[in-house]
Amino acid sequence: MRKLLSAASAVLILTANAAVADDSLEETARAAVVAFTEAVIAGPDAVAPMLAPEYQILRANGTGYDRDGYIAHVKEVSARPNFTHENIVATIADDVMVVRYVLSIEETIEGAPVTRRAPRLTVFRKIDGAWKVVAHANFGATAPPQ
């Protein structure tokens, strides 16, 4: 009976530690995607330091950019947007964190109000102690590439 209680206690402790680890990972992921979203909103000068050298983006309409191409196409958002990140699911191995989530955002871009709710996938890599974005997939409906 004593061994059974010890085993049950060990399972409870491991389960509690896993829950704490999951909460900590979700907090880390949320902080990283919020920082990335805010940097994109702020424009090229804010987003550039967040991007890893190998960064790539792919949008739902097939448009893709490398790091320099993306920085050249980022537009500063003229009004402070209202956004939330929902359904955050993160995995981590070594210095790589993959986060899938839904971004809901209301913003004004080039004078036009825009409301979007779309799934995203963002890959981060820890470089010099900071999470940098390696890849981003935006599944929000956009106009076809021109």
Side-chain angles (χ1 to χ4, degrees), residues 20-33 88 90 97:
V20 169
D22 288 347
D23 288 346
S24 176
L25 177 55
E26 184 178 332
E27 289 171 17
T28 298
R30 182 176 300 280
V33 296
I88 293 175
M97 177 172 60

